[in-house]
Amino acid sequence: VYPGTKTLADGAHPAAAGDVLEVYSLGLGLTTPRVEAGVASPFATADVRPRVRIGALEAEVTFAGLVPGLAGVYQVNLKVPAGLTPGYQPLRWINSDGSLSGTSGIHVR
């Protein structure tokens, strides 16, 4: 999603290198300040910054934390890397063991 909008980086609105996108996720771990499970969150940043790959390239994560007012929902802001082939690119989380997970993607131009 483009920041501050509900616009997806889809075929009609492909992202360009350098664009910052918001990705929403669950289960990214502890935050500062700590927030109890099931409690609507204040502003809280993730203690460990996640790693994300778009296509074959790692994206720069510029922010990761809980979404204020929601319970357990994280927002991850990432910058689309240069050098991606235009079209659909899978978006994958890079796990601590180097494996990949996730089933979403974006379109790039």
Side-chain angles (χ1 to χ4, degrees):
V1 176
Y2 289 96
T5 74
K6 295 179 182 177
T7 305
L8 299 174
D10 59 13
H13 309 95
D19 284 353
V20 174
L21 300 175
E22 297 173 352
V23 177
Y24 295 90
S25 183
L26 304 171
L28 294 182
L30 295 174
T31 61
T32 299
R34 298 287 188 259
V35 179
E36 285 188 48
V39 173
S41 175
F43 178 82
T45 58
D47 287 353
V48 176
R49 187 163 288 190
R51 295 175 56 209
V52 181
R53 198 167 88 176
I54 300 173
L57 303 175
E58 189 165 347
E60 177 187 351
V61 173
T62 59
F63 170 79
L66 289 168
V67 177
L70 298 180
V73 178
Y74 291 79
Q75 175 181 323
V76 177
N77 296 353
L78 53 86
K79 192 179 291 188
V80 177
L84 293 169
T85 302
Y88 179 82
Q89 295 291 333
L91 188 147
R92 302 286 187 254
W93 301 99
I94 302 171
N95 301 313
S96 60
D97 65 359
S99 65
L100 303 175
S101 60
T103 58
S104 64
I106 65 168
H107 283 80
V108 296
R109 56 179 165 191

